[in-house]
Amino acid sequence: MSCNMHWLCKMFRIESGWLILVSHGNIEQGKQVIIINEIVRLNEDPNVQGLALDLPESLYSSKVLNAVKPEKDVDGLSDVNLGRLVRGDAYDCLVPPTVCAVMELLEDLGGKKVLLVGASGAVGAALQCMLQREGATTLSCRWKAPELQTKLNHADVVIVGSTKPDDVPVSWIKPGTTIISCSRDLVSGKRQKQNYGQQNNHAAENAVGSLAIAMRMQNMVKNIERWIQSQQYRKWDLRCLKLQLLSPVPSDIEISRAQSPKAVDVLAKEIGLLTDEVEIYGQTKAKVRLSLLERLKDQPDGKYVLVAGITPTPLGEGKSTVTIGLVQALTAHLNINSFACLRQPSQGPTFGVKGGAAGGGYAQVIPMEEFNLHLTGDIHAITAANNLLAAAIDARILHENTQSDKALYNRLVPVVNGVRGFSAIQFARLRRLGISKTDPGTLTEEEINKFARLDIDPSTITWQRVVDTNDRFLRKITVGQANTEKGFVRQAQFDIAVASEIMAILALTTSLQDMKERLGKMVVANDKKGEPVTAEDLGVTGALAVLMKDAIKPTLMQTLEGTPVFVHAGPFANIAHGNSSVLADKIALKLVGEKGFVVTEAGFGADIGMEKFFNIKCRASGLVPSVVVLVATVRALKMHGGGPNVTAGAPLKKEYTEENLQLVADGCCNLQKQIQITQLFGVPVVVALNVFKTDSPAEIDLVCKIAKRSGAFDAVPCDHWSAGGRGAVKLAQAVERAANQKNGFKYLYSLELPVVEKIRIIAQKVYGAQDIELSPTAQSQVDRYTRQGFGNLPICMAKTHLSLSHQPERKGVPTGFILPISDVRASIGAGFIYPLVGTMSTMPGLPTRPCFYDIDLDPITEQVKGLF
């Protein structure tokens, strides 16, 4: 087997002299299996763009020829290629080289009779097709056929596809007949000498072989040109799905089940993804490889839209639903390419109080149960990586406490197969310590001590274990109580998985290399000298990257109307930065094209998720948003206007179900404040009023008028929940107009400012606080992080989402309050400092009646019930 043609085309030859050992089987069949296995392997090799076969005649079976992927079939002999040839798809098919050579040698075929003798199979079929296209009358015949003499005597052209038997005399061929012989080995040029008599002065035997080789090269060039063309941006060919709207609107899961989603590989092709850029997970989910960013690096980005909201009720105000309704309107109803980029929901709220996050009504991601449960396992990967690092911290402290320097060093750098050497990550640690030696045996005792001992101060450990469940009893735990841990006991805690710094890194990373570097930079504790200890110091960076290698790829799904959605990363907005991934946004912006839209969502109110989107995510991505869509509801505005408390799981009071213009007007102060916050960043804002059936026309008009007076570019009522994308068409049109406005985007603060000043700017300009107050612990942490060189990072406030202030019960627009900063922590890998405001918890608890009471599985149909 030989390899040539560089990377453009891989060719292999199986000579008859090959020694193939096949036990108790047919030798030819054994060869076919080997050939097909090799073809299948080359089909999946992204560096092989074309495949040409040079085989003994007996091995040119249909199975072998059709094993070659049509797009790599340089010889054009697969059934798919032949079908395209017959259909006349000149661009999509390749004509077999031998057929091209024959056609080059023949001229003026109109009305002539052409006889194909011994030319069967794919080549024979292609010859007949091409000859008939040129106006010839074609006949075919076997050498042993009784009517052969008659046919030869009447033919103007004879094309010989296999060796002429000796018992067929040349006298059967009428004088002046053009004879072309195709019975040869295409690449090697081997040919059995044929004698067709001197009277046939139009015989063309040797020319076919040389021409066929040239034609194969021509096919290779054409195949590469097609491949290059396939790497360019492709216009969408999207088939949207029709909705069957019902009234009253059924449950979310009933609506999801009633729709038949497209197969995800079909959706991927419709939006211009290549086959090797997609990893299929079942029928409706797929991972998208990051190689697409390199392929489309020169493609201009589309418009970038952020969906944020006013300060919500505990029920949520429908930002995800608006996001889905907006892209359904843009693509399914206005024929504008659009992509929704959403966070993956945590299992905590899904089984706790809030439920799923796939949207709702007729504006959903489907299948919603797959969206809300496990998806492609990204959160599980984060949990595994996070807890591996947590285990490494405690294990390292234990081993350092119970071993001498020499014993510790010998175990860290063991002798393997008689050789002792440092691993790659240990070399990196040596370099950080300023030790240039490469032989483990040459380190001094002092160098061994520096290398082997991290001297972690247990009281400074900030890295916690995580689990993706709301479990209040894990907020404070004790670890190390077993006798095997030799008295190393310490207090610790669990966070919810989506609060892990690894989740934040996943959401903010820009490449696999960037993610690996960020994972290594994560600070997990300080040593006893007050210096930071990182994941890189613990030697676990590579293992973390391995656990995250698939999670870094965004997951492709679809809306109820068949428009594309990326689901990727899921940090909470109150205890993390609350945005989906940079990578999903970047890929989507390339795929939609210059005139398309990417719509992403920030968690909770604009004061929380949007502020972090601008100051943290946009700094990491370098992307500039075109428009902010600010979601409001009459229900939430009434709450801010002095309405009674809204409690999850409890019926709404009559103030929320009956018209009350005064409550709405009073509550619009929160909407006005959130518009002002958006304007701090210089981005146009469109208010989307998510309409409920209890909202009166007067209340809807009032909100829209106040929003426009307060500086919104436009304010649009939306009923996508009950009408799908059609109910958000006016919103989509407003967003399209706003995206063409002048954009004066700017960050809220300079990174060069001191940490405390950056916190103060957010507190005063965004939350409306009079000032901030740091606890002694918080101030000490700020001083430590500044001393360690982390003072120039952006700020990620961990604060309640239920109020602009730190007190959840204070609605509307609180003023005059002092914002208490109880603690300050650092996510160095993610790239931000996060102050904890008040008594903010990073592990939610379950309510009295969690959502799981209603969730069940039908053992017969295996369908999930009760999700919402």
Side-chain angles (χ1 to χ4, degrees):
M1 193 169 290
S2 61
C3 223
N4 50 33
M5 301 305 299
H6 195 44
W7 64 276
L8 296 180
C9 182
K10 185 160 184 175
M11 305 171 67
F12 65 88
R13 177 183 302 177
I14 295 184
E15 302 286 355
S16 56
W18 257 34
L19 178 62
I20 303 176
L21 302 178
V22 183
S23 302
H24 309 293
N26 181 280
I27 295 296
E28 293 300 316
Q29 185 177 355
K31 284 184 178 181
Q32 280 198 19
V33 171
I34 293 172
I35 294 165
I36 290 171
N37 288 342
E38 177 67 5
I39 289 171
V40 169
R41 185 186 69 80
L42 294 171
N43 279 341
E44 302 308 316
D45 187 339
N47 294 316
V48 175
Q49 313 311 332
L51 191 57
L53 307 181
D54 180 31
L55 308 171
E57 196 71 34
S58 60
L59 291 177
Y60 274 107
S61 69
S62 177
K63 279 187 178 180
V64 170
L65 295 176
N66 287 307
V68 182
K69 273 188 175 179
E71 60 267 28
K72 295 190 178 186
D73 182 14
V74 170
D75 289 328
L77 296 175
S78 66
D79 289 350
V80 172
N81 247 316
L82 290 173
R84 290 170 179 168
L85 177 63
V86 171
R87 230 176 24 235
D89 295 342
Y91 176 79
D92 286 334
C93 75
L94 290 175
V95 180
T98 300
V99 176
C100 287
V102 170
M103 299 307 295
E104 281 288 318
L105 292 171
L106 295 174
E107 297 178 353
D108 301 325
L109 286 170
K112 289 185 178 180
K113 294 179 182 177
V114 180
L115 177 65
L116 279 64
V117 186
S120 59
V123 172
L127 272 169
Q128 289 204 53
C129 176
M130 294 298 290
L131 289 165
Q132 289 169 9
R133 197 172 290 171
E134 292 299 317
T137 301
T138 62
L139 299 169
S140 63
C141 193
R142 294 176 292 108
W143 285 114
K144 298 296 184 182
E147 67 275 17
L148 176 62
Q149 181 176 359
T150 303
K151 290 185 177 180
L152 284 172
N153 198 252
H154 287 87
D156 301 311
V157 178
V158 176
I159 299 175
V160 179
S162 58
T163 305
K164 179 180 78 63
D166 292 337
D167 60 353
V168 176
V170 296
S171 61
W172 288 4
I173 304 173
K174 72 177 182 181
T177 299
T178 299
I179 302 173
I180 296 180
S181 175
C182 306
S183 57
R184 33 133 233 102
D185 179 327
L186 180 63
V187 174
S188 67
K190 293 177 182 176
R191 172 185 299 279
Q192 184 170 346
K193 184 67 178 174
Q194 301 278 289
N195 180 13
Y196 295 103
Q198 295 301 314
Q199 75 272 32
N200 298 298
N201 52 19
H202 298 295
E205 297 182 54
N206 296 321
V208 173
S210 301
L211 261 178
I213 292 172
M215 293 302 175
R216 176 181 269 179
M217 295 300 297
Q218 196 173 73
N219 274 4
M220 291 176 185
V221 172
K222 183 177 180 181
N223 213 47
I224 292 304
E225 287 175 344
R226 291 198 313 192
W227 177 81
I228 291 171
Q229 184 63 35
S230 76
Q231 302 302 299
Q232 308 305 308
Y233 175 79
R234 284 190 281 179
K235 191 176 179 181
W236 286 16
D237 183 21
L238 193 70
R239 176 182 64 88
C240 293
L241 303 177
K242 298 297 182 184
L243 291 177
Q244 299 295 325
L245 302 177
L246 299 177
S247 182
V249 176
S251 70
D252 291 349
I253 199 162
E254 288 174 320
I255 293 171
S256 175
R257 290 248 172 82
Q259 184 63 285
S260 297
K262 293 179 282 190
V264 73
D265 58 329
V266 172
L267 173 64
K269 186 176 181 180
E270 288 177 346
I271 61 174
L273 287 165
L274 306 182
T275 304
D276 60 6
E277 291 171 342
V278 179
E279 298 172 2
I280 306 296
Y281 281 64
Q283 295 296 311
T284 55
K285 307 183 296 291
K287 286 284 192 182
V288 175
R289 293 176 180 164
L290 307 188
S291 58
L292 178 143
L293 286 171
E294 176 62 25
R295 176 170 70 87
L296 297 182
K297 63 183 178 182
D298 297 325
Q299 167 66 24
D301 289 345
K303 300 288 195 304
Y304 196 26
V305 180
L306 175 70
V307 176
I310 64 171
T311 305
T313 69
L315 306 176
E317 308 319 305
K319 290 190 308 300
S320 298
T321 310
V322 169
T323 301
I324 300 304
L326 176 54
V327 294
Q328 288 181 177
L330 283 165
T331 302
H333 298 270
L334 297 180
N335 199 30
I336 298 171
N337 291 356
S338 72
F339 232 110
C341 292
L342 298 177
R343 290 174 292 163
Q344 179 184 351
S346 164
Q347 181 180 293
T350 299
F351 289 99
V353 65
K354 191 170 180 287
Y362 289 102
Q364 289 189 59
V365 180
I366 57 171
M368 65 92 76
E369 62 267 45
E370 293 190 25
F371 177 92
N372 286 311
L373 301 173
H374 304 299
L375 198 63
T376 47
D378 294 356
I379 292 180
H380 300 314
I382 288 163
T383 301
N386 184 100
N387 292 344
L388 175 63
L389 180 51
I393 296 166
D394 287 327
R396 185 59 174 264
I397 294 172
L398 171 69
H399 294 312
E400 288 190 21
N401 285 344
T402 55
Q403 298 179 54
S404 66
D405 286 358
K406 183 177 180 182
L408 188 63
Y409 184 64
N410 287 341
R411 285 180 171 86
L412 288 170
V413 192
V415 176
V416 179
N417 296 326
V419 179
R420 192 179 192 190
F422 294 114
S423 66
I425 201 164
Q426 288 176 328
F427 275 121
R429 174 161 170 75
L430 288 169
R431 287 193 295 271
R432 288 196 303 278
L433 294 171
I435 301 171
S436 59
K437 297 174 181 177
T438 58
D439 183 354
T442 61
L443 267 65
T444 66
E445 289 186 3
E446 182 183 357
E447 289 170 337
I448 287 173
N449 176 271
K450 285 174 64 178
F451 172 80
R453 294 201 176 274
L454 299 180
D455 278 332
I456 295 171
D457 180 353
S459 68
T460 67
I461 295 173
T462 55
W463 194 264
Q464 310 299 344
R465 290 167 172 82
V466 300
V467 63
D468 196 34
T469 303
N470 290 2
D471 192 344
R472 64 177 67 247
F473 283 88
L474 294 179
R475 289 171 178 170
K476 193 170 186 179
I477 62 170
T478 303
V479 296
Q481 293 192 20
N483 292 334
T484 50
E485 276 48 77
K486 302 179 182 179
F488 173 55
V489 179
R490 70 180 182 89
Q491 282 195 343
Q493 69 184 59
F494 270 78
D495 293 338
I496 194 160
V498 292
S500 170
E501 183 176 352
I502 297 177
M503 174 61 88
I505 287 173
L506 178 66
L508 292 170
T509 194
T510 55
S511 67
L512 195 56
Q513 180 62 35
D514 178 58
M515 182 179 74
K516 188 175 177 182
E517 291 172 3
R518 286 174 179 267
L519 291 170
K521 291 177 183 176
M522 294 186 301
V523 173
V524 300
N526 292 319
D527 64 20
K528 291 171 183 175
K529 295 178 182 177
E531 295 303 314
V533 177
T534 66
E536 187 84 359
D537 292 322
L538 284 156
V540 75
T541 306
L544 299 181
V546 167
L547 287 170
M548 294 294 293
K549 71 180 181 65
D550 292 318
I552 196 174
K553 303 164 192 170
T555 299
L556 176 66
M557 294 188 76
Q558 63 193 284
T559 68
L560 277 166
E561 298 192 53
T563 66
V565 178
F566 273 142
V567 187
H568 201 213
F572 283 172
N574 53 353
I575 56 178
H577 75 282
N579 289 272
S580 63
S581 78
V582 166
L583 281 170
D585 292 354
K586 281 179 171 271
I587 292 173
L589 284 164
K590 295 297 183 187
L591 286 172
V592 296
E594 193 170 7
K595 295 182 179 179
F597 285 80
V598 171
V599 184
T600 189
E601 173 235 354
F604 300 124
D607 58 305
I608 301 283
M610 186 194 72
E611 181 272 315
K612 295 171 183 176
F613 173 87
F614 287 136
N615 284 319
I616 297 175
K617 184 176 180 180
C618 288
R619 289 185 200 268
S621 68
L623 299 173
V624 176
S626 309
V627 186
V628 169
V629 174
L630 193 64
V631 178
T633 62
V634 168
R635 176 181 68 195
L637 293 172
K638 287 180 175 179
M639 179 191 72
H640 288 298
N645 287 338
V646 176
T647 305
L652 288 170
K653 300 288 196 314
K654 65 180 180 63
E655 287 85 350
Y656 296 104
T657 58
E658 298 175 0
E659 183 178 287
N660 192 321
L661 294 176
Q662 189 59 53
L663 273 183
V664 173
D666 292 345
C668 277
C669 62
N670 188 271
L671 173 60
Q672 291 170 306
K673 173 64 175 174
Q674 301 287 9
I675 292 172
Q676 291 167 11
I677 293 169
T678 307
Q679 291 171 333
L680 291 173
F681 298 93
V683 180
V685 56
V686 174
V687 171
L689 183 62
N690 191 15
V691 174
F692 288 71
K693 62 182 179 182
T694 54
D695 300 345
S696 73
E699 289 173 331
I700 294 169
D701 289 345
L702 178 62
V703 174
C704 292
K705 286 176 182 176
I706 292 175
K708 291 176 187 177
R709 283 205 309 263
S710 302
F713 174 82
D714 203 349
V716 185
C718 312
D719 60 351
H720 44 274
W721 182 82
S722 59
R726 189 184 67 199
V729 167
K730 289 184 179 178
L731 173 64
Q733 291 168 336
V735 166
E736 187 180 13
R737 293 194 305 272
N740 294 320
Q741 298 298 300
K742 184 178 179 181
N743 191 324
F745 174 68
K746 58 183 179 293
Y747 299 118
L748 185 63
Y749 52 79
S750 166
L751 293 180
E752 305 306 316
L753 292 173
V755 171
V756 172
E757 187 56 31
K758 286 182 281 194
I759 297 172
R760 181 175 286 112
I761 288 172
I762 295 171
Q764 292 178 335
K765 291 190 175 182
V766 177
Y767 306 152
Q770 180 180 327
D771 205 352
I772 61 173
E773 183 177 55
L774 275 70
S775 71
T777 300
Q779 186 62 60
S780 173
Q781 290 288 69
V782 168
D783 295 341
R784 173 178 289 167
Y785 295 139
T786 302
R787 186 180 70 253
Q788 291 174 343
F790 305 137
N792 62 346
L793 294 175
I795 304 299
C796 181
M797 302 289 281
K799 183 187 81 71
T800 179
H801 60 288
L802 296 173
S803 172
L804 284 162
S805 75
H806 58 288
Q807 297 166 300
E809 68 277 5
R810 295 189 68 178
K811 306 301 181 184
V813 183
T815 57
F817 60 93
I818 305 296
L819 193 74
I821 309 299
S822 58
D823 198 1
V824 176
R825 299 177 189 171
S827 292
I828 304 305
F832 54 71
I833 302 289
Y834 67 102
L836 275 69
V837 179
T839 55
M840 197 67 216
S841 172
T842 50
M843 170 56 82
L846 289 172
T848 304
R849 193 187 189 284
C851 296
F852 62 64
Y853 274 88
D854 302 310
I855 297 171
D856 200 359
L857 181 70
D858 187 317
I860 298 173
T861 64
E862 298 184 10
Q863 288 191 333
V864 177
K865 299 187 291 185
L867 277 179
F868 69 94

